[in-house]
Protein backbone atom coordinates (compact mmCIF):
# COMPACT_ATOMS: atom_id res chain seq x y z
CA UNK A 1 0.00 0.00 0.00
CA UNK A 2 1.17 3.52 -0.73
CA UNK A 3 1.98 5.84 2.09
CA UNK A 4 -0.95 8.09 2.97
CA UNK A 5 -0.08 11.74 3.33
CA UNK A 6 -2.15 13.40 6.01
CA UNK A 7 -3.07 16.94 5.38
CA UNK A 8 -3.48 18.24 8.92
CA UNK A 9 -2.84 21.94 9.31
CA UNK A 10 -3.13 23.02 12.91
CA UNK A 11 -4.66 26.47 13.35
CA UNK A 12 -2.29 29.38 14.05
CA UNK A 13 -2.94 32.71 15.71
CA UNK A 14 -1.99 35.95 13.94
CA UNK A 15 1.58 35.69 15.32
CA UNK A 16 1.92 32.22 13.73
CA UNK A 17 1.82 30.47 17.09
CA UNK A 18 0.43 27.01 17.82
CA UNK A 19 -1.43 26.18 21.00
CA UNK A 20 0.02 23.49 23.27
CA UNK A 21 -1.45 21.82 26.34
CA UNK A 22 0.54 20.42 29.22
CA UNK A 23 -0.25 16.68 29.65
CA UNK A 24 0.10 17.10 33.45
CA UNK A 25 -1.43 20.40 34.58
CA UNK A 26 -3.55 20.89 31.40
CA UNK A 27 -2.60 24.56 31.23
CA UNK A 28 -2.18 26.00 27.75
CA UNK A 29 0.58 28.04 26.14
CA UNK A 30 1.78 28.60 22.58
CA UNK A 31 4.98 28.21 20.62
CA UNK A 32 5.95 29.58 17.22
CA UNK A 33 5.14 27.49 14.17
CA UNK A 34 8.83 27.46 13.15
CA UNK A 35 9.78 26.08 16.58
CA UNK A 36 6.94 23.56 16.39
CA UNK A 37 8.20 22.32 13.03
CA UNK A 38 11.76 21.93 14.30
CA UNK A 39 10.87 19.99 17.46
CA UNK A 40 13.22 17.08 17.97
CA UNK A 41 11.15 13.96 18.53
CA UNK A 42 13.95 12.34 20.53
CA UNK A 43 13.84 15.18 23.06
CA UNK A 44 11.62 15.97 26.00
CA UNK A 45 10.02 19.38 26.39
CA UNK A 46 8.96 21.27 29.51
CA UNK A 47 5.72 22.81 30.69
CA UNK A 48 6.23 26.56 31.20
CA UNK A 49 3.90 26.47 34.23
CA UNK A 50 4.54 23.25 36.17
CA UNK A 51 8.01 22.48 34.76
CA UNK A 52 7.31 18.77 34.11
CA UNK A 53 8.75 17.24 30.95
CA UNK A 54 7.18 15.03 28.27
CA UNK A 55 7.92 13.78 24.75
CA UNK A 56 7.53 16.16 21.81
CA UNK A 57 4.25 14.56 20.71
CA UNK A 58 2.47 14.81 24.07
CA UNK A 59 1.60 18.49 23.94
CA UNK A 60 -1.42 18.53 21.63
CA UNK A 61 -4.65 20.04 22.92
CA UNK A 62 -7.76 17.86 22.98
CA UNK A 63 -9.16 19.76 19.98
CA UNK A 64 -5.91 19.24 18.03
CA UNK A 65 -5.88 15.53 18.91
CA UNK A 66 -9.50 15.08 17.79
CA UNK A 67 -8.77 16.97 14.61
CA UNK A 68 -5.68 14.96 13.63
CA UNK A 69 -7.40 11.70 14.65
CA UNK A 70 -10.37 12.54 12.43
CA UNK A 71 -8.12 13.32 9.50
CA UNK A 72 -6.25 10.04 10.02
CA UNK A 73 -9.56 8.18 10.36
CA UNK A 74 -10.87 9.76 7.16
CA UNK A 75 -7.79 8.61 5.27
CA UNK A 76 -8.64 5.08 6.43
CA UNK A 77 -12.34 5.51 5.67
CA UNK A 78 -11.55 6.75 2.14
CA UNK A 79 -9.39 3.69 1.59
CA UNK A 80 -12.08 1.33 2.91
CA UNK A 81 -14.73 2.98 0.79
CA UNK A 82 -12.58 2.74 -2.32
CA UNK A 83 -11.05 -0.72 -1.91
CA UNK A 84 -13.80 -2.58 -0.11
CA UNK A 85 -16.53 -1.28 -2.40
CA UNK A 86 -14.43 -2.29 -5.37
CA UNK A 87 -13.91 -5.85 -4.13
CA UNK A 88 -17.52 -6.24 -3.00
CA UNK A 89 -18.74 -5.11 -6.39
CA UNK A 90 -16.66 -7.85 -7.97
CA UNK A 91 -18.61 -10.42 -5.92
CA UNK A 92 -21.88 -8.97 -7.11
CA UNK A 93 -23.65 -11.36 -9.43
CA UNK A 94 -27.14 -12.61 -10.19
CA UNK A 95 -27.00 -15.20 -7.45
CA UNK A 96 -25.23 -13.09 -4.88
CA UNK A 97 -26.31 -9.49 -4.66
CA UNK A 98 -24.06 -7.13 -2.76
CA UNK A 99 -25.27 -3.78 -1.61
CA UNK A 100 -22.57 -1.32 -0.67
CA UNK A 101 -22.84 1.85 1.27
CA UNK A 102 -19.97 4.21 1.97
CA UNK A 103 -18.67 4.57 5.50
CA UNK A 104 -19.40 8.19 6.45
CA UNK A 105 -16.42 10.49 6.81
CA UNK A 106 -15.73 12.29 10.06
CA UNK A 107 -15.93 16.01 10.60
CA UNK A 108 -12.54 17.62 9.90
CA UNK A 109 -13.28 21.01 11.36
CA UNK A 110 -11.26 22.70 14.08
CA UNK A 111 -11.91 26.16 15.48
CA UNK A 112 -9.57 28.95 14.38
CA UNK A 113 -6.99 30.05 16.95
CA UNK A 114 -7.60 33.01 19.30
CA UNK A 115 -5.09 35.78 19.83
CA UNK A 116 -4.92 35.25 23.57
CA UNK A 117 -1.74 35.06 25.74
CA UNK A 118 1.38 37.23 25.74
CA UNK A 119 4.90 36.67 24.47
CA UNK A 120 7.57 35.75 26.99
CA UNK A 121 11.26 35.88 26.04
CA UNK A 122 13.48 32.87 26.73
CA UNK A 123 17.06 34.16 26.58
CA UNK A 124 18.33 30.65 27.51
CA UNK A 125 17.28 29.35 24.09
CA UNK A 126 16.90 32.66 22.26
CA UNK A 127 13.22 31.93 21.62
CA UNK A 128 9.82 33.19 22.65
CA UNK A 129 6.71 31.41 23.84
CA UNK A 130 3.26 32.76 24.61
CA UNK A 131 1.89 32.27 28.09
CA UNK A 132 -1.28 33.13 29.93
CA UNK A 133 -1.50 36.80 30.87
CA UNK A 134 -2.59 35.96 34.41
CA UNK A 135 0.34 33.67 35.20
CA UNK A 136 2.72 35.35 37.67
CA UNK A 137 4.76 32.38 38.83
CA UNK A 138 8.02 30.95 37.54
CA UNK A 139 8.09 30.22 33.81
CA UNK A 140 10.08 27.21 32.67
CA UNK A 141 11.59 27.21 29.19
CA UNK A 142 9.63 24.81 26.98
CA UNK A 143 12.83 23.89 25.17
CA UNK A 144 15.40 23.43 27.95
CA UNK A 145 13.42 23.62 31.22
CA UNK A 146 15.35 26.61 32.56
CA UNK A 147 13.26 28.50 35.17
CA UNK A 148 12.67 32.21 34.54
CA UNK A 149 11.19 34.93 36.70
CA UNK A 150 7.90 36.15 35.23
CA UNK A 151 8.95 39.81 35.50
CA UNK A 152 12.30 39.40 33.76
CA UNK A 153 11.01 38.10 30.45
CA UNK A 154 8.07 40.40 29.77
CA UNK A 155 8.22 41.40 26.15
CA UNK A 156 6.16 44.28 24.80
ZN1 LIG B 1 2.14 21.70 33.24
ZN1 LIG C 1 15.68 27.44 27.21
Amino acid sequence: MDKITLNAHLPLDTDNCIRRECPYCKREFKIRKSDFESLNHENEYFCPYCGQSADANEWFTTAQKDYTMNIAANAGIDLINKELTKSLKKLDSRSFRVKTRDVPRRNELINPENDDMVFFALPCCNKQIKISEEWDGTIYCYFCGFPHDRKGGEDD
Side-chain angles (χ1 to χ4, degrees):
M1 193 181 70
D2 293 332
K3 204 170 119 196
I4 301 173
T5 317
L6 296 180
N7 202 17
H9 293 288
L10 296 176
L12 303 170
D13 71 11
T14 53
D15 293 311
N16 274 336
C17 291
I18 287 183
R19 189 177 293 271
R20 316 253 68 197
E21 181 188 290
C22 172
Y24 305 103
C25 69
K26 306 290 175 196
R27 291 190 185 92
E28 294 182 342
F29 56 99
K30 291 178 188 167
I31 63 171
R32 289 188 187 278
K33 180 174 180 257
S34 51
D35 291 331
F36 174 77
E37 283 167 350
S38 54
L39 290 178
N40 180 343
H41 287 267
E42 321 247 288
N43 282 2
E44 297 220 313
Y45 292 88
F46 301 83
C47 173
Y49 307 108
C50 72
Q52 299 215 64
S53 63
D55 288 347
N57 60 2
E58 289 187 47
W59 301 89
F60 291 100
T61 66
T62 310
Q64 289 169 343
K65 271 187 243 167
D66 289 350
Y67 171 69
T68 45
M69 281 297 293
N70 285 345
I71 287 180
N74 279 343
I77 288 168
D78 286 347
L79 199 72
I80 289 168
N81 286 341
K82 205 171 107 208
E83 296 304 322
L84 194 65
T85 310
K86 215 178 1 178
S87 21
L88 285 175
K89 279 199 175 125
K90 276 189 203 143
L91 293 174
D92 198 15
S93 70
R94 233 166 275 211
S95 52
F96 183 73
R97 301 245 56 123
V98 178
K99 266 201 181 155
T100 59
R101 194 171 47 161
D102 279 0
V103 180
R105 301 180 99 244
R106 295 198 193 172
N107 188 338
E108 282 183 10
L109 295 178
I110 183 166
N111 288 329
E113 198 48 89
N114 306 322
D115 282 330
D116 56 347
M117 308 192 193
V118 288
F119 273 118
F120 184 81
L122 299 164
C124 52
C125 293
N126 197 20
K127 290 180 192 298
Q128 285 181 318
I129 52 171
K130 273 187 171 181
I131 53 145
S132 160
E133 233 162 319
E134 293 93 67
W135 185 259
D136 57 7
T138 302
I139 293 161
Y140 298 88
C141 175
Y142 179 64
F143 305 94
C144 73
F146 189 89
H148 296 271
D149 196 357
R150 171 76 165 98
K151 285 169 204 87
E154 197 92 40
D155 207 66
D156 319 294

